Amino acid sequence: WSVTLLFLSPKDLYTAPDSCRGRCEEPYSTEDECHCNAECESYHDCCEDYYRHCRPEGFSSSWDAITDEDLLHISEQLYKADHNKARPTDIAINPQYQASPDETGHQEDRSPQPLYKYVNEELFSKPTYASFIKLLDNYQRVTGREEDVTAEELREQDNFLKEVMKTELMKKLFAFLHKKNRYGSEQEFVADLKEMWFGLYSRGDGEQDSSGFEHVFSGRARTGGMEGAGQPWADGLTPGSCLCLGEVKKGKVSGFHNWIRFYLLEKQGIVNYFSHNFNGPWDTYPDVLGLQFSWDGFYKEVGSAFIGCSPEFEFGLYTLCFIARPGRACHLSLGGYSLSIQTYTWTNSTYGNGKKYIATAYVISP
């Protein structure tokens, strides 16, 4: 393992967009390393390709930009289109002890009962759920072990993408991105989804051992080493920052943000729920919960998950934010309530014409 990883700052491994492709007239943000609105010319902080994309017949004229208002509108549309989400009678959770900010690192099990009192498992027979669950056993849990992707697993990836693309939610997302000139056809969109989510890259010693889907939805185990050290999504998180579940690093957990995965592992006795530090304002599903737990003996100090949403809802929201606001907070609206998602690109390797894989995506606590 390379000791130099210890000294890399997050910016060394992940960077905000440095291109104006699809960002013309985007609102100014201090988080951006360069800018794409008209004022950047007078402030001399335009991205290098500002004139190519934004003046005047470039790829991205102003109507191609995804504005903050666009994100609020499309996220509400996706929220309403989640027809496969759990009904209030499908899930009963038992949050029990609420931890204060200074208690989240105590590693004390203050909730004797499981988080999930009841889940109507008939949900899991719905096509998007069934195809999603089949993907969860396709991964080596230990970082540094090369993934052996079988023909059957590739078919399962294709089947999941096929099923989610049948939903109104993903059709609305594609229509929005098509209108914004990101994809010319649904076929192109699906091909890119497969690469950005399922394309393999190395988080370890050079082996193709990880993917965005695996990190976000499934999780991995790690008992030592420095993989991910210094990341804003790694261990030692403060309230109001990353709320993540699952991939084990340095004997701790990151990634694994999915309620279905959590429920299935808790049912097997592999995940032990300790407490929660945040319960979202939603009075129906999907909801958001911040929680503390151990996974097969490894502790997670601050985790979060959407509770009761369909697989396509999480998949769609994270995709939207990765495309629209990679490397930055992506501000959304769900049922009239604000929610933000943070994504990061994996910049150590690319696919296609310099496109980036998904490193992680997670809910930021409001």
Side-chain angles (χ1 to χ4, degrees), residues 82-101:
D82 189 11
H83 305 307
N84 285 328
K85 68 184 177 184
R87 297 163 300 179
T89 54
D90 286 331
I91 298 175
I93 61 172
N94 183 18
Q96 301 166 81
Y97 186 80
Q98 180 157 4
S100 63

Side-chain angles (χ1 to χ4, degrees), residues 268-311:
Q268 295 173 45
I270 297 170
V271 162
N272 181 20
Y273 170 73
F274 281 16
S275 56
H276 72 288
N277 64 294
F278 172 75
N279 196 339
W282 295 269
D283 55 8
T284 184
Y285 297 119
D287 198 353
V288 175
L289 194 69
L291 59 157
Q292 292 68 52
F293 67 97
S294 70
W295 176 34
D296 209 12
F298 299 100
Y299 185 65
K300 182 59 192 177
E301 182 175 342
V302 183
S304 79
F306 286 106
I307 307 292
C309 67
S310 69

